[in-house]
Amino acid sequence: MFNIHKVSISFQGENLFEDITFRLGNGDRVGLVGKNGAGKSTLLKILSKDIEPTTGQIAEDKDLKIGFLRQDIDFVLGRTVLEESYQAFKEIKILEAEIEIINTQLVERTDYESEAYNQLMIDLNDTQHQYEILGGYNYQGETEKILQGLGFLRTDFNKLTDTFSGGWRMRIELAKLLLQNNDILLLDEPTNHLDIESIIWLESFLKSYAGAVVIVSHDKMFLDNITNRTIEISLGKIYDYPKPYTQYLVLREEMRTQQLASQKNQQKQIEQTEKLIEKFRAKASKATMAQSLIKKLDKIDRIEVDVDDNSVMKLNFPVSITPGKVVVDLENISKNYADLQVLTNVSLLVERDSKTAFVGQNGQGKSTLAKIIVGDIKASGNLKLGHNVQIGYFAQNQAEYLDGSKTVLDTMIDAANETNRSKVRDILGSFLFRGEEVDKYVRVLSGGERNRLALAKLLLQPLNVLVMDEPTNHLDIKSKNVLKEALHRFEGTLILVSHDRDFLKGLTNKVYEFKDQKIKEYLGDIDFYLEQRNLQNMREVEKRTTIKTKPKTTTTKQSYENQKKLKSLNNKLSKIESEINQLEKEIKNDDIDLETNYDTTVAQPNFFDSYQSKKERLNQYMKQWEETQEAIDNLV
């Protein structure tokens, strides 16, 4: 489908990666991983043809359709959610306009017997036929299904996109990609702006996706659930293994251990040979043997061990001055956005040196309360900051808080004061912005690099309270660990909004759950909270749906039988969905053949019988899917 051969990319004479080769085929679900700045987003841009590689070749199948979810998107203002989503169907929308024009002419004209009127009827029939082939009568229903899967309510469909945050606009862009029936999907951090329900829905969608998917993500669980292959970019090379991320890490470490052992054995042999050469070289009678050993030594292929890129940022948050005992005092805080009530009469007391986590579903007010505390937005009720409180704030939508027209260095200098301006370059260096990288404009930075820059900026301001909203978005796994260690060492007050259990573990001593406009306090860390809520992981915290429990009278045997039935039905549903996807693809190809090569296609023996049979089988599978899904719903 798609071949990448010896591709290299360089900026200002320095290679980002060099001579990388791999192939993408149907069914490949690739996790593209590596450190921030390693070149993941750049490789996606090369695959999408946004940029040309410096050297190398890319070969692809004819008429290959590639969809690319970028980190930064621009929307045309004034469109509703549905109107923007319908942009995925450009050909269909053009045909709709043509059908409307023809119908208008047919209504207005009265020369019913004329050849021109007859031609209009023929044109209408042809256009409607092409419209049906392209899915014109189904696209609106498909659009609504995808939007709802990504978390939109029906009441959102006719709202202007201008009224939604960047995260929700990203969901619309993702919906457009999923509606386009692309052969390859390139997804750059698709889960950063999704709640857990939408992530689970997207996982289900991608698992049954017939084409190839390349995903850049730092969400280990998402990668493990979706991918069947991992490509890591490290120090300009790629490591390609047919395993999900966690299995890949184990496999790569095993291979590196084998390489080290083989290299050690080879080195012993080389040293022994060199000793013999030195010994024989001193004797004239052994000179020939010495030369033979030298030639043998020259022919040895030296075993190289894969090098790990262990460079990480260095991060410490020094406390400025000691604040009063009470840092933040909130009383009866309420907040609404138009008709949407987010918080109602919320009261909260944050004491000095406490470490607090905000958890819960998306849209329940976690980020809103964080913004109220730092003074970004106003709310009704009473907010009082304690004596000598100095707040440092890390926003979830960090890109909107950085000026894209400034360079990295200018961003830091403008944020510095007289006492720390001389340390700006040293701080940038500790955050892996070295040499000419400080002259990069913020607008060209990757999401991870922007997060690193935002963290570096925090060190320039005096602070004793840290409010951090999803700080791990866009950060690679090593950088996440560095940030966690720095927050462990932080001696001030911490308020942390996050859905990442691994990151939260051991960081906080108090958890507030946000639900139904209220908050509930749990006096312990994240594991204590999950234990109290009888939950296994953060995904269960954030699910919107309530799992039905069996009546107490249900016996263990009945429960076991239900589990067996549920597993069987889910397997059956998965097989049915696979058959539906395959048939839909075959029918689509037949429709395209009819449209583009009608005479050749219809000349094929039994073509129409086969075509009709596929449609009938598709209808049968759709009916089976509904029946199976209903049976599953009745069991859970």
Side-chain angles (χ1 to χ4, degrees):
M1 182 196 285
F2 203 78
N3 289 292
I4 295 88
H5 183 67
K6 289 188 172 296
V7 164
S8 303
I9 187 79
S10 61
F11 297 101
Q12 298 176 334
E14 186 175 337
N15 280 331
L16 185 59
F17 44 76
E18 186 175 9
D19 289 343
I20 65 172
T21 297
F22 61 94
R23 182 183 181 279
L24 292 176
N26 282 330
D28 279 341
R29 294 190 290 275
V30 179
L32 184 59
V33 301
K35 286 185 54 182
N36 293 136
K40 303 184 296 294
S41 294
T42 300
L43 183 54
L44 289 188
K45 289 175 183 176
I46 289 174
L47 298 179
S48 68
K49 301 178 184 175
D50 278 13
I51 60 176
E52 290 287 329
T54 307
T55 60
Q57 296 177 327
I58 298 177
E60 63 186 73
D61 291 351
K62 188 179 178 183
D63 299 326
L64 191 75
K65 292 174 66 179
I66 300 174
F68 183 18
L69 180 71
R70 297 165 176 82
Q71 288 186 11
D72 300 312
I73 55 173
D74 291 316
F75 272 8
V76 175
L77 300 180
R79 288 178 183 157
T80 66
V81 171
L82 276 180
E83 287 169 345
E84 183 63 42
S85 301
Y86 290 158
Q87 298 304 305
F89 306 98
K90 291 181 180 177
E91 293 177 78
I92 289 176
K93 299 303 286 184
I94 290 170
L95 290 174
E96 274 186 347
E98 290 178 8
I99 290 170
E100 186 175 348
I101 291 170
I102 295 172
N103 278 326
T104 301
Q105 291 180 10
L106 288 172
V107 169
E108 293 174 349
R109 296 177 64 150
T110 56
D111 53 335
Y112 308 122
E113 303 300 325
S114 70
E115 192 167 327
Y117 194 90
N118 185 52
Q119 186 60 48
L120 280 176
M121 295 291 291
I122 294 171
D123 291 344
L124 179 62
N125 184 61
D126 290 345
T127 307
Q128 286 177 331
H129 179 63
Q130 190 177 5
Y131 183 75
E132 181 181 6
I133 288 172
L134 292 175
Y137 297 111
N138 302 319
Y139 80 93
Q140 293 178 335
E142 281 296 308
T143 301
E144 292 183 11
K145 185 171 75 173
I146 296 283
L147 286 173
Q148 287 179 306
L150 290 173
F152 287 92
L153 302 174
R154 285 191 172 276
T155 52
D156 295 327
F157 290 170
N158 293 313
K159 293 179 182 177
L160 294 177
T161 59
D162 319 14
T163 63
F164 288 88
S165 67
W168 283 96
R169 289 201 292 270
M170 186 68 77
R171 294 189 194 206
I172 299 171
E173 192 69 14
L174 179 57
K176 286 158 61 177
L177 283 185
L178 301 184
L179 288 163
Q180 286 170 352
N181 293 320
N182 293 292
D183 300 297
I184 296 178
L185 276 180
L186 308 174
L187 306 178
D188 198 354
E189 299 287 3
T191 64
N192 275 357
H193 301 289
L194 299 182
D195 60 21
I196 202 63
E197 285 277 317
S198 301
I199 290 174
I200 292 170
W201 179 88
L202 180 60
E203 285 178 357
S204 176
F205 183 96
L206 293 177
K207 282 176 185 176
S208 60
Y209 188 72
V213 185
V214 182
I215 305 166
V216 172
S217 178
H218 299 123
D219 185 332
K220 289 190 290 185
M221 184 179 287
F222 182 71
L223 289 174
D224 283 340
N225 287 344
I226 294 297
T227 61
N228 53 23
R229 179 178 170 191
T230 300
I231 295 178
E232 180 183 13
I233 304 178
S234 178
L235 298 173
K237 295 182 179 180
I238 65 167
Y239 300 87
D240 186 353
Y241 292 98
K243 298 285 183 182
Y245 181 71
T246 300
Q247 293 179 39
Y248 156 74
L249 288 178
V250 174
L251 182 61
R252 189 179 171 198
E253 188 56 36
E254 288 174 355
M255 294 191 68
R256 194 168 183 275
T257 302
Q258 291 173 4
Q259 287 175 338
L260 283 167
S262 300
Q263 187 189 55
K264 190 176 180 180
N265 289 333
Q266 187 187 64
Q267 192 58 38
K268 282 183 181 178
Q269 293 174 6
I270 291 170
E271 288 172 1
Q272 289 172 358
T273 305
E274 287 173 340
K275 285 178 182 178
L276 285 173
I277 291 170
E278 287 302 315
K279 184 178 178 182
F280 293 158
R281 189 178 276 163
K283 299 178 181 179
S285 60
K286 303 286 188 180
T288 303
M289 292 179 67
Q291 288 300 316
S292 176
L293 288 171
I294 290 171
K295 289 179 182 177
K296 180 183 175 182
L297 202 60
D298 289 340
K299 289 179 181 178
I300 292 177
D301 286 332
R302 306 293 173 115
I303 295 171
E304 293 184 2
V305 178
D306 296 336
V307 180
D308 276 336
D309 186 357
N310 290 314
S311 57
V312 292
M313 63 180 182
K314 299 172 185 175
L315 183 55
N316 281 296
F317 296 104
V319 175
S320 53
I321 55 176
T322 303
K325 185 177 180 182
V326 175
V327 171
V328 179
D329 187 1
L330 301 173
E331 188 177 356
N332 295 327
I333 296 292
S334 296
K335 179 63 182 176
N336 66 288
Y337 298 97
D339 296 332
L340 178 63
Q341 189 71 32
V342 181
L343 299 170
T344 303
N345 294 330
V346 168
S347 296
L348 173 68
L349 192 72
V350 180
E351 295 185 334
R352 181 179 61 217
D353 300 340
S354 61
K355 305 290 189 287
T356 304
F358 287 175
V359 302
Q361 303 164 4
N362 275 18
Q364 292 291 336
K366 304 186 300 292
S367 295
T368 296
L369 192 60
K371 289 178 180 178
I372 291 169
I373 290 171
V374 302
D376 254 21
I377 58 176
K378 301 295 182 183
S380 61
N382 298 315
L383 164 64
K384 184 180 179 182
L385 297 182
H387 179 62
N388 283 338
V389 166
Q390 297 175 328
I391 297 180
Y393 175 49
F394 184 96
Q396 182 179 164
N397 52 334
Q398 198 56 56
E400 297 176 18
Y401 285 77
L402 296 171
D403 188 343
S405 64
K406 291 182 180 179
T407 65
V408 170
L409 183 59
D410 288 341
T411 299
M412 290 289 284
I413 289 174
D414 291 348
N417 54 43
E418 290 182 5
T419 59
N420 56 28
R421 192 165 287 122
S422 61
K423 300 177 183 177
V424 160
R425 283 186 179 272
D426 290 337
I427 293 173
L428 284 174
S430 69
F431 281 80
L432 308 181
F433 292 107
R434 294 165 185 151
E436 295 178 352
E437 289 184 333
V438 301
D439 297 320
K440 282 184 179 179
Y441 282 97
V442 171
R443 63 174 173 268
V444 303
L445 298 180
S446 69
E449 288 171 324
R450 289 181 188 178
N451 272 25
R452 280 196 272 123
L453 179 58
L455 289 169
K457 268 186 71 179
L458 278 178
L459 300 190
L460 295 173
Q461 65 183 90
L463 57 88
N464 46 35
V465 177
L466 263 176
V467 179
M468 309 196 86
D469 190 357
E470 300 290 2
T472 59
N473 281 358
H474 298 293
L475 285 185
D476 61 62
I477 292 159
K478 288 180 180 177
S479 296
K480 277 187 187 182
N481 293 335
V482 170
L483 175 58
K484 182 172 181 176
E485 287 303 314
L487 294 176
H488 262 304
R489 295 190 297 270
F490 180 56
E491 295 179 354
T493 307
L494 176 65
I495 297 174
L496 190 58
V497 181
S498 180
H499 63 269
D500 188 331
R501 177 179 180 173
D502 288 339
F503 184 72
L504 286 172
K505 195 169 184 176
L507 266 185
T508 61
N509 49 32
K510 189 180 294 185
V511 175
Y512 284 98
E513 181 183 28
F514 285 64
K515 190 175 183 181
D516 299 330
Q517 305 169 25
K518 302 287 186 181
I519 63 173
K520 184 175 180 180
E521 183 182 62
Y522 293 83
L523 297 175
D525 67 1
I526 195 66
D527 286 341
F528 173 79
Y529 160 72
L530 292 172
E531 182 184 324
Q532 291 294 302
R533 291 275 276 103
N534 197 26
L535 301 173
Q536 294 300 312
N537 53 54
M538 292 298 286
R539 287 193 162 204
E540 294 185 43
V541 175
E542 298 175 24
K543 282 188 179 182
R544 290 191 298 268
T545 52
T546 302
I547 299 172
K548 297 176 184 176
T549 56
K550 300 293 179 188
K552 290 183 179 179
T553 54
T554 302
T555 66
T556 304
K557 184 176 179 181
Q558 287 175 318
S559 178
Y560 176 72
E561 289 299 321
N562 282 343
Q563 288 176 9
K564 281 180 64 178
K565 287 180 185 177
L566 191 60
K567 184 176 180 181
S568 175
L569 286 169
N570 278 318
N571 289 336
K572 182 180 178 182
L573 191 70
S574 180
K575 289 177 183 177
I576 293 171
E577 287 174 345
S578 179
E579 293 290 345
I580 288 172
N581 286 330
Q582 185 59 36
L583 282 170
E584 285 179 337
K585 192 166 186 179
E586 290 177 13
I587 291 169
K588 180 187 174 186
N589 289 336
D590 288 345
D591 287 337
I592 292 171
D593 287 341
L594 279 171
E595 181 187 354
T596 55
N597 301 297
Y598 182 82
D599 293 336
T600 307
T601 302
V602 297
Q604 296 175 15
N606 302 321
F607 172 80
F608 281 110
D609 289 341
S610 172
Y611 181 67
Q612 189 59 37
S613 172
K614 289 173 187 174
K615 285 198 166 185
E616 289 172 359
R617 282 160 53 206
L618 178 61
N619 287 333
Q620 289 170 3
Y621 277 123
M622 292 296 285
K623 187 177 180 181
Q624 288 179 32
W625 186 93
E626 289 177 4
E627 292 170 352
T628 308
Q629 185 61 59
E630 185 178 352
I632 290 172
D633 291 341
N634 289 333
L635 273 177
V636 298

